[in-house]
Amino acid sequence: MKKKLVILISIIVIGTIVGIFIMHKDKGTAQGAKWGDVYYAYIKEIKPSDNSKILFYESSLSDDPVMAVYDDSKKDANSDVGFSISLYKIENDEVENMSNNIYGNEAEIRFGYDVEKGKYNYFMYSNTEDSETYESLDSIAIESIVYDELTKEGLTGTERAEKEKEKLSKYDNYAKYFKVTNEKSTAYKDVDYVINTDYKFNYISYKKDDNYLKKEFSKSVKSYQKNKDIGLKFDSLIEKNKKNEEINDTKKVEDVIKAGDYTLKYGTYKSSISSYMEEFGGEYTIKPDGTFTYVNNWTDTDGNAYTNNAEGTYKVEYANMKEMDEMPDDYKWVITFTATSYSGKGRFIDSPIPNDQYYNVDSYAITDNNKFQAEQYENIWTLK
């Protein structure tokens, strides 16, 4: 009797050990990796539209791959909506939605080499007849993160726009590039910010069939590669484009600054401001080395005389000047002066907000050759 009892106990112990071993072996590896299991369970739960595309990619925002789910079921030649895309990451073994965006028919996902940052990345690409835009998928998520932060802070208008620039600048991985492609435009440059590799990435076409879905997830997880590993096959293409860029960089500096269809000559620009607003007048002198000086001799309403001086750097760029996210895009050529040292009264000095780092910055729209002007009040700066 004792012998039978010992045998029975042995069988139970062995069975338990084997069961634990099998459970441990299978735990978190049904799709080849734990992150694959987490995303697989989440997709089964949310059930996206049939034929939605599922893509896994390396991201600076997560230790695990990020999952992109894009739906082009609404794509129609007569519609402005091309597809929607949602980005997800894993946080504490739970899936977290980072952003949801809608794009037009001209947009697509590309894998390319970021010339500015010197690395491969996934980008959302869109184009018009005269321009193209590359924005990394990480940047799409970053913009949503910043948007939520500003909404919680209750900021609006110009203050919100300035705070947004400040927050975005703190992300080293933020990458969004705009380029004029029309060769007839004076803003055209034969220099690439992003080099498209034409890489055909693997994605899962969603279906409600669990067996199919499990098999496709397993294949995608096992074939997953980091960006630099995918990019190995494109290194020769990148080197060729880099040489072309170096040739463009060695071209001599122009004697004028090109800004779209207009140009600005180096020299001193005088304000047209009325006498009652003399504080906002004065003269800017822009130099070929990218620096400027500013001087303004003015008198207040009480007859007190002042002299304002400033110097610093300037930048001419084609920028989106919309003040709020809800407003339509407002791209235009502007010249922005950033003062690094200044003296005087009022202008550049008396910031209405303590520690406001933007108070020493002025931006003006370039509206004609050798002319730029303020948008909020009547003030035109013309070459002397």
Side-chain angles (χ1 to χ4, degrees):
M1 185 70 175
K2 289 183 178 179
K3 186 175 182 181
K4 288 183 179 180
L5 181 60
V6 170
I7 293 173
L8 179 60
I9 292 173
S10 299
I11 292 173
I12 293 172
V13 171
I14 293 171
T16 302
I17 293 172
V18 171
I20 292 173
F21 174 77
I22 292 173
M23 289 174 63
H24 179 74
K25 182 179 179 182
D26 287 347
K27 185 179 179 180
T29 60
Q31 313 309 323
K34 186 175 181 180
W35 59 265
D37 284 332
V38 175
Y39 281 133
Y40 171 70
Y42 186 77
I43 284 294
K44 286 183 63 178
E45 178 184 340
I46 64 172
K47 296 183 178 64
S49 301
D50 285 349
N51 297 318
S52 292
K53 310 295 190 301
I54 301 170
L55 171 70
F56 301 113
Y57 69 92
E58 181 188 9
S59 169
S60 60
L61 301 175
S62 174
D63 292 334
D64 292 314
V66 162
M67 179 174 68
V69 180
Y70 54 108
D71 177 9
D72 60 0
S73 61
K74 296 182 176 63
K75 192 166 187 176
D76 189 313
N78 298 318
S79 173
D80 292 332
V81 177
F83 61 91
S84 62
I85 182 169
S86 299
L87 303 177
Y88 304 90
K89 71 174 182 177
I90 295 175
E91 192 74 30
N92 298 322
D93 293 335
E94 297 288 334
V95 177
E96 178 183 311
N97 177 228
M98 294 192 291
S99 68
N100 302 293
N101 292 76
I102 296 175
Y103 292 89
N105 287 314
E106 79 287 350
E108 64 183 29
I109 297 176
R110 289 184 174 182
F111 181 78
Y113 182 79
D114 187 332
V115 176
E116 297 289 308
K117 298 189 180 298
K119 61 183 180 181
Y120 292 93
N121 216 335
Y122 284 86
F123 292 89
M124 182 62 68
Y125 169 81
S126 60
N127 69 309
T128 65
E129 291 182 358
D130 299 317
S131 65
E132 63 181 15
T133 301
Y134 275 96
E135 180 175 18
S136 72
L137 297 191
D138 273 5
S139 297
I140 295 172
I142 289 171
E143 287 180 348
S144 293
I145 293 170
V146 170
Y147 177 86
D148 291 341
E149 290 176 353
L150 294 176
T151 300
K152 290 178 181 178
E153 293 178 21
L155 300 178
T156 59
T158 303
E159 186 181 8
R160 183 186 179 105
E162 292 175 347
K163 193 74 172 182
E164 180 182 38
K165 291 179 183 178
E166 177 187 353
K167 285 179 175 288
L168 291 176
S169 68
K170 292 180 179 179
Y171 286 89
D172 294 334
N173 51 333
Y174 185 74
K176 186 174 183 178
Y177 308 110
F178 178 85
K179 177 184 176 183
V180 176
T181 56
N182 184 353
E183 295 186 23
K184 295 182 179 179
S185 170
T186 55
Y188 170 76
K189 288 184 179 180
D190 190 19
V191 177
D192 291 316
Y193 297 109
V194 176
I195 302 171
N196 181 32
T197 63
D198 287 322
Y199 171 64
K200 307 299 180 185
F201 46 80
N202 297 319
Y203 59 81
I204 300 170
S205 183
Y206 175 78
K207 296 179 183 178
K208 291 186 174 68
D209 185 330
D210 285 350
N211 289 330
Y212 159 83
L213 199 59
K214 192 171 184 178
K215 181 179 177 181
E216 289 300 306
F217 260 75
S218 181
K219 284 168 56 179
S220 291
V221 169
K222 290 175 182 177
S223 63
Y224 169 78
Q225 288 182 290
K226 292 190 174 183
N227 295 348
K228 65 178 182 179
D229 295 325
I230 298 173
L232 290 175
K233 66 180 74 174
F234 302 109
D235 284 347
S236 59
L237 169 68
I238 304 308
E239 287 303 316
K240 180 180 178 181
N241 278 272
K242 280 183 178 179
K243 288 180 180 178
N244 291 337
E245 183 183 5
E246 289 171 2
I247 292 172
N248 285 313
D249 285 344
T250 59
K251 292 181 178 178
K252 66 177 183 179
V253 177
E254 300 283 352
D255 59 355
V256 295
I257 304 170
K258 292 184 178 180
D261 295 328
Y262 305 125
T263 59
L264 298 177
K265 289 183 178 180
Y266 300 109
T268 300
Y269 288 75
K270 183 175 177 58
S271 168
S272 66
I273 205 75
S274 301
S275 58
Y276 74 96
M277 290 183 66
E278 284 183 345
E279 177 187 348
F280 299 96
E283 298 178 350
Y284 281 103
T285 298
I286 57 178
K287 306 173 184 179
D289 64 356
T291 64
F292 79 91
T293 57
Y294 169 82
V295 62
N296 185 22
N297 297 303
W298 61 285
T299 305
D300 66 15
T301 54
D302 294 325
N304 300 309
Y306 301 96
T307 296
N308 287 2
N309 289 284
E311 61 181 34
T313 60
Y314 68 87
K315 180 168 61 175
V316 174
E317 61 182 337
Y318 192 65
N320 191 350
M321 302 303 290
K322 68 176 182 179
E323 294 185 0
M324 300 177 62
D325 290 335
E326 295 78 12
M327 298 174 66
D329 287 343
D330 184 22
Y331 281 97
K332 62 183 64 176
W333 282 98
V334 296
I335 182 168
T336 301
F337 297 96
T338 302
T340 54
S341 65
Y342 33 84
S343 61
K345 175 180 171 57
R347 188 173 180 76
F348 289 126
I349 299 300
D350 298 334
S351 170
I353 303 174
N355 303 316
D356 184 359
Q357 63 176 308
Y358 294 102
Y359 196 66
N360 64 330
V361 178
D362 274 328
S363 287
Y364 302 99
I366 300 170
T367 55
D368 204 342
N369 292 327
N370 305 317
K371 185 179 294 185
F372 50 87
Q373 66 183 53
E375 304 236 307
Q376 306 275 337
Y377 58 101
E378 187 176 344
N379 190 3
I380 301 174
W381 305 80
T382 309
L383 183 67
K384 289 177 65 174

